[in-house]
């Protein structure tokens, strides 16, 4: 990054967010000659759009759909002649069909509440879709175009009787229940397959087309009991069989090619929300179940935190053609790679490297795959990966112009010891163009979760900070995924304990190891759990000159009653309910230590955040103002907990500008 060519490149700006493109969700045609995928972008109206594109084996890439809408989840029909996909072009996300060799798309479903997900039947004659209906609705009710009300509707009270009545993703729940529906591929005729009031997750069709497997919470009190069972539905007799009977929580179902086995990702809740995801294989006819990864101390799936591909849904387990095992992604030491898990034998790395695999399609001949891969200096593209020699061929270059225009900083890994001797992994990003002997202020970034992982993926926010001359330090303190079950569980009951020590030890280690860091100019920021930890840090040390807390927790006593997950998350993570030990919750609340907070603190929070409701920010801001501390409170309207990742692009820009301006003011004195 110090070559003459590199120094001529400009730094990343906040506005570059609008140019970023994310390619994701690749899917092979049955003959392996084509791959359909999704390209997500932000258009000139500052709105998210996503369209389908096609890669063919001659190396060409062509856009396949166009328009001012969002097309997602493309899947070839079993014959390869058609592509089904979800699109909101009619208003709500519905199921559409498109000729695989080009032509006009045709709408297949018109459900009043749209379609959440779908799968093809093995013979292509029908599909299974997931929709929702209310008490006074049926699947025959059609979607209506939005109408502008001549006058506001009369206000009505919202009557709440359930413990779980709101969701950060969906807002206030509307008492609509999920329904699995069989849809004739030729006529669109729909038949409801389920009728219970239950939350339905993953579902998959058996290879013979006779049995539908799906995940559902079948507990009498689904608000407090969190096991999710695998249910088999015979499509002819409509008889149901519960395969798991409350033994755990499961997702990502996949039938073996011969239909005798059913794979799933799941766990037994042994460590509640900190339990590693494992690979299960069930044999329903024999009534047997195996955990293939019981002895592999690794979290299956994608635990990576980032602001570019956070909403890209990676694949679940993928069976080998001979049913000898499954391909999976797994999160380990800041990387998300691909492995083969045999039914009998050791785990085999398949796609391994210092990168983040956030999408995967395995070729029908199993000699190669197409993977969506991101790295700290590679925004994200599709690559063909040979299983024989690991050769990696880039198939798309959707961000090439921006990558060639901007100086991007790599993330240098280092390992350090915490105060108790535990090894902790971290990364440092050095500002491009920093001269020999020059010093840079350091900003410490803390991830949310806490059961998630920072690592080797592109992060626009980090690149923006280094472009402003800041070194960026990010670590995986205990509680993070990627380092085994004991490590991810270690934060539970100890928020603000050794996790705090891990982060502060990382600051000390970085200062010792990297001589370009100016230890007199330190900043800290983070969101969600990272916001909690930012609040905790400024309440326990005056070492930082500036801090930015985002979508944070400040008071566990109130959080437990206002968050959509607070009523169980508080006990799972801190260890008690308020009536059991209110003093314990207060001890772990940053608000308790507000009189010790002297660091200038910028508070960023979304007004429709139901995960960490904005009252958490309000309490902290008012207390700091009463104490005469330097603080500012920025409220983002019509935004939820995911503002930094998938929120309104203009609000995302405002958020980034506030962060940079705050650190500039207190770490560089460049602003009055």
């Amino acid at each position: 990054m110090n070559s003459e060519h590199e120094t001529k490149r400009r730094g990343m700006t906040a506005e570059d967010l609008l140019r970023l493109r994310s390619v994701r969700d690749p899917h092979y045609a049955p003959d392996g000659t084509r791959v359909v995928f999704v390209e997500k972008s932000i258009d000139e109206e500052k709105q998210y759009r996503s369209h389908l594109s096609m890669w063919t084996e001659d190396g060409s890439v062509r856009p396949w759909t166009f328009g001012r809408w969002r097309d997602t989840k493309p899947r070839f029909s079993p014959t390869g002649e058609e592509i089904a996909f979800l699109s909101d072009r009619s208003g709500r996300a519905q199921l559409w069909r498109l000729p695989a060799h080009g032509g006009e798309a045709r709408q297949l479903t018109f459900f009043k509440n749209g379609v959440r997900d779908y799968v093809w039947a093995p013979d292509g004659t029908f599909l299974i879709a997931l929709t929702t209906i209310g008490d006074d609705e049926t699947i025959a009710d059609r979607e209506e175009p939005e109408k502008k009300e001549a006058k506001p509707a009369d206000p009505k009270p919202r009557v709440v009787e359930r413990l779980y009545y709101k969701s950060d993703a969906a807002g206030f729940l509307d008492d609509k229940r999920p329904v699995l529906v069989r849809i004739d591929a030729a006529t669109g005729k729909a038949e409801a397959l389920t009728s219970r009031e239950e939350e339905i997750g993953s579902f998959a069709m058996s290879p013979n087309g006779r049995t539908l497997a799906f995940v559902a919470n079948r507990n009498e009190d689904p608000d407090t009991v969190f096991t999710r069972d695998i249910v088999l539905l015979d499509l002819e007799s409509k008889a149901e069989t519960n395969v798991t009977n409350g033994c755990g929580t499961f997702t990502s179902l996949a039938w073996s090619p011969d239909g005798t086995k059913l794979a799933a990702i799941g766990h037994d809740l042994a460590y509640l929300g900190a339990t590693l995801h494992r690979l299960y294989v069930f044999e329903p006819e024999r009534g047997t179940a195996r955990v293939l990864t019981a002895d592999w101390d690794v979290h299956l799936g994608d635990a990576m935190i980032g602001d570019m591909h956070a909403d890209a849904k990676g694949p679940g387990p993928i069976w080998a053609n001979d049913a000898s095992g499954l391909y999976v992604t797994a999160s380990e030491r800041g990387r998300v790679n691909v492995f083969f898990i045999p039914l009998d034998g050791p785990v085999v790395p398949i796609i391994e490297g210092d990168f983040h695999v956030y999408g995967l399609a395995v070729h029908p001949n199993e000699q190669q795959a197409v993977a969506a891969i991101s790295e700290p200096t590679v925004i994200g593209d599709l690559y063909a990966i040979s299983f024989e020699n690991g050769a990696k061929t880039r198939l798309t270059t959707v961000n090439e112009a921006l990558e060639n225009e901007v100086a991007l900083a790599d993330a240098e890994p280092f390992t350090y010891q915490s105060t108790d001797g535990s090894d902790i992994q971290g990364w440092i990003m050095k500002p491009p163009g920093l001269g020999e002997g020059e010093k840079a202020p350091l900003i410490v970034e803390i991830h949310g979760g806490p059961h998630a992982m920072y690592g080797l993926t592109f992060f626009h926010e980090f690149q923006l900070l280094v472009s402003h001359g800041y070194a960026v330090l990010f670590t995986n303190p205990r509680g993070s995924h990627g380092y085994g079950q004991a490590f991810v569980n270690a934060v539970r009951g100890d928020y603000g304990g050794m996790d705090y020590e891990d982060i502060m030890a990382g600051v000390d280690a970085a200062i010792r190891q990297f001589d370009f860091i100016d230890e007199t100019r330190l900043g800290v920021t983070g969101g969600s759990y990272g916001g909690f930890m930012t609040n905790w840090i400024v309440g326990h040390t005056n070492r930082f000159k500036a801090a930015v807390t985002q979508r944070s927790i400040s008071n566990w006593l109130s959080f437990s009653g206002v968050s959509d997950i607070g009523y169980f998350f508080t006990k799972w993570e801190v260890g008690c309910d308020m009536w059991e030990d209110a003093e314990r919750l207060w001890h772990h609340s940053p608000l308790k230590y507000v009189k010790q907070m002297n660091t200038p603190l910028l508070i960023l929070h979304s007004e429709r955040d139901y995960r960490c409701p904005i009252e958490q920010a309000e309490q902290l801001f008012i207390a700091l103002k009463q104490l005469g501390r330097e603080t500012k409170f920025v409220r983002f309207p019509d935004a939820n907990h995911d503002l930094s990742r998938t929120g309104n692009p203009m609000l995302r820009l405002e958020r980034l500008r506030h962060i940079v301006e705050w650190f500039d003011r207190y770490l560089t004195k460049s602003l009055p």
Side-chain angles (χ1 to χ4, degrees):
M1 290 297 176
N2 291 321
S3 69
E4 181 180 353
H5 174 70
E6 293 293 340
T7 56
K8 290 180 180 179
R9 296 187 179 192
R10 65 172 178 84
M12 182 71 74
T13 67
E15 290 72 18
D16 285 328
L17 173 71
L18 305 178
R19 295 177 58 187
L20 297 176
R21 294 175 175 269
S22 174
V23 289
R24 73 264 303 274
D25 198 14
H27 186 69
Y28 269 108
D31 63 3
T33 62
R34 294 158 292 163
V35 173
V36 63
F37 62 93
V38 177
E39 182 176 328
K40 180 183 176 183
S41 61
I42 299 172
D43 69 9
E44 64 278 0
E45 296 180 353
K46 312 298 190 297
Q47 298 295 320
Y48 293 111
R49 305 297 181 199
S50 54
H51 301 108
L52 311 186
S53 291
M54 186 82 73
W55 172 88
T56 55
E57 59 183 356
D58 64 3
S60 64
V61 176
R62 288 193 294 162
W64 215 246
T65 64
F66 308 85
R68 297 167 58 184
W69 41 64
R70 303 183 192 185
D71 299 335
T72 62
K73 196 165 186 180
R75 296 292 183 268
F76 281 96
S77 66
T79 63
E81 294 301 313
E82 287 191 303
I83 297 171
F85 63 101
L86 299 180
S87 178
D88 65 355
R89 58 186 71 191
S90 67
R92 295 181 180 272
Q94 301 284 0
L95 189 55
W96 291 68
R97 294 170 61 182
L98 179 70
H101 295 283
E104 292 296 321
R106 180 170 67 88
Q107 188 171 350
L108 188 61
T109 65
F110 299 83
F111 296 133
K112 183 176 182 179
N113 302 310
V115 174
R116 292 186 182 182
D117 201 359
Y118 76 95
V119 295
W120 278 101
D123 64 1
T125 61
F126 66 94
L127 302 94
I128 304 293
L130 179 63
T131 185
T132 61
I133 60 173
D135 291 338
D136 57 347
E137 298 171 350
T138 72
I139 60 171
D141 293 337
R142 292 171 70 96
E143 176 187 9
E144 298 179 359
E146 293 186 5
K147 298 179 181 179
K148 292 184 178 180
E149 295 288 342
K151 62 177 182 178
D154 292 334
K156 295 181 180 180
R158 177 175 280 109
V159 179
V160 176
E161 295 183 292
R162 287 188 58 176
L163 181 59
Y164 183 68
Y165 68 92
K166 62 182 178 180
S167 158
D168 183 68
F172 287 100
L173 304 182
D174 54 11
D175 295 325
K176 287 181 168 55
R177 67 181 186 276
V179 179
L180 287 166
V181 181
R182 176 175 175 154
I183 302 163
D184 186 277
T187 66
K189 182 179 178 181
E191 174 195 5
L193 299 176
T194 59
S195 58
R196 291 175 179 243
E197 292 187 10
E198 61 187 1
E199 187 60 38
I200 294 175
S202 173
F203 51 99
M205 281 295 307
S206 64
N208 62 13
R210 299 174 185 170
T211 305
L212 176 67
F214 64 94
V215 172
N217 185 332
R218 294 224 150 158
N219 297 292
E220 290 186 8
D221 185 2
D223 294 350
T224 61
V225 183
F226 300 100
T227 56
R228 285 174 170 80
D229 285 313
I230 299 174
V231 180
L232 303 184
L233 171 65
D234 186 300
L235 294 183
E236 292 184 4
S237 69
K238 301 301 187 290
E240 293 185 352
T241 303
N242 192 323
V243 175
T244 52
N245 293 305
C247 71
T249 181
F250 301 95
T251 187
S252 302
L253 304 182
W255 287 94
S256 63
D258 62 5
T260 63
K261 301 176 181 65
L262 181 64
I265 301 296
H267 61 80
D268 59 5
L269 290 162
Y271 300 90
L272 300 174
T275 314
L276 295 186
H277 289 181
R278 306 292 192 186
L279 179 60
Y280 288 70
V281 171
F282 301 91
E283 294 188 73
E285 291 189 5
R286 295 185 178 184
T288 62
R290 296 174 58 192
V291 185
L292 298 189
T293 59
D295 298 324
W296 194 36
D297 200 18
V298 171
H299 180 78
L300 297 191
D302 184 354
M304 188 76 77
I305 290 283
D307 61 3
M308 186 62 199
H309 310 293
D311 60 332
K313 294 183 178 180
I318 301 170
W319 281 95
N321 290 331
D322 62 1
S324 62
L326 300 104
Y327 301 93
V328 300
T329 57
S331 300
E332 187 176 22
R333 299 194 62 79
R335 314 187 309 176
V336 179
N337 289 172
V338 179
F339 300 84
F340 183 71
I341 313 294
L343 296 182
D344 296 293
V347 174
V348 180
I350 297 295
I351 303 176
E352 190 173 30
D354 291 335
F355 45 67
H356 170 204
V357 176
Y358 63 92
L360 177 71
V362 177
H363 192 281
N365 66 16
E366 293 183 71
Q367 295 179 19
Q368 69 172 24
V370 168
I373 295 177
S374 179
E375 302 176 44
T377 59
V378 177
I379 297 169
D381 268 301
L382 297 184
Y383 295 81
I385 314 290
S386 168
F387 287 177
E388 181 180 356
N389 57 22
K392 192 168 75 167
T393 303
R394 194 168 186 168
L395 305 181
T396 63
T397 55
V398 297
N399 293 290
E400 184 177 34
L402 184 60
E403 290 173 349
N404 289 336
E405 182 180 331
V406 175
L408 298 175
D410 209 346
E412 181 177 346
F414 69 106
T415 301
Y416 62 92
Q417 286 194 331
S418 188
T419 54
D420 67 348
S422 297
D423 286 337
I424 307 296
Q425 188 177 24
W427 292 264
I428 195 78
M429 297 175 71
K430 181 180 179 181
L434 191 69
E436 186 70 28
E438 292 183 333
K439 297 275 190 177
L442 176 71
I443 294 176
V444 180
E445 288 269 5
I446 307 171
H447 69 64
H451 310 308
M453 179 181 78
Y454 269 157
L456 296 162
T457 192
F458 177 82
F459 215 126
H460 174 249
E461 179 182 323
F462 293 2
Q463 296 293 346
L464 175 64
L465 290 172
V466 297
S467 78
H468 279 257
Y470 298 105
V472 173
L473 168 67
F474 55 101
T475 70
N476 282 329
R478 66 196 71 194
S480 304
H481 274 307
Y483 309 90
Q485 183 62 80
F487 191 89
V488 73
N489 188 60
V491 73
R492 293 177 58 229
D494 190 38
Y495 275 46
M498 286 307 301
D499 50 351
Y500 168 74
E501 297 291 336
D502 293 347
I503 294 167
M504 297 306 295
V507 175
D508 292 335
I511 291 171
R512 287 194 304 268
Q513 187 166 338
F514 304 101
D515 59 8
F516 57 82
I517 294 174
D518 183 349
E519 63 180 304
T520 69
R521 293 185 292 164
L522 304 179
V524 61
T525 186
S528 196
Y529 164 81
F532 158 84
M533 184 52 66
T534 298
N535 297 340
W536 186 269
I537 284 173
V538 298
H540 287 78
T541 179
N542 292 323
R543 189 172 180 184
F544 294 88
K545 302 301 182 186
V548 180
T549 185
Q550 307 171 55
R551 57 190 186 279
S552 72
I553 296 171
S554 66
N555 183 352
W556 287 106
L557 287 164
S558 62
F559 173 86
S560 64
V562 297
S563 166
D564 62 342
I565 64 172
Y567 69 92
F568 65 86
F569 186 86
T570 302
K571 186 163 187 174
W572 281 13
E573 296 295 316
V574 184
C576 63
D577 289 311
M578 68 171 70
W579 54 85
E580 295 173 330
D581 193 346
E583 183 54 41
R584 182 176 182 180
L585 296 185
W586 185 236
H587 169 76
H588 289 281
S589 297
L591 195 62
K592 176 181 178 179
Y593 310 96
V594 69
K595 289 182 67 176
Q596 300 164 208
M597 295 183 185
N598 297 298
T599 304
L601 182 64
L602 174 63
I603 302 171
L604 306 180
H605 220 106
S606 297
E607 292 188 343
R608 288 198 299 108
D609 188 336
Y610 295 148
R611 183 58 39 86
C612 297
I614 198 168
E615 61 88 29
Q616 294 287 303
E618 291 170 334
Q619 292 186 65
L620 181 59
F621 174 71
I622 293 301
L624 288 170
K625 291 298 287 187
Q626 286 181 296
L627 291 168
R629 303 295 194 262
E630 189 68 27
T631 187
K632 182 190 289 186
F633 184 18
V634 182
R635 304 169 63 111
F636 295 90
D638 298 321
N640 68 2
H641 197 66
D642 284 330
L643 169 65
S644 66
R645 299 174 283 247
T646 59
N648 180 292
M650 295 308 295
L651 291 181
R652 291 178 68 183
L653 288 180
E654 285 298 311
R655 169 187 167 272
L656 292 168
R657 288 168 184 154
H658 277 287
I659 292 172
V660 170
E661 287 175 3
W662 191 259
F663 284 131
D664 282 352
R665 178 174 290 114
Y666 292 101
L667 298 185
T668 70
K669 302 298 182 183
S670 63
L671 296 176

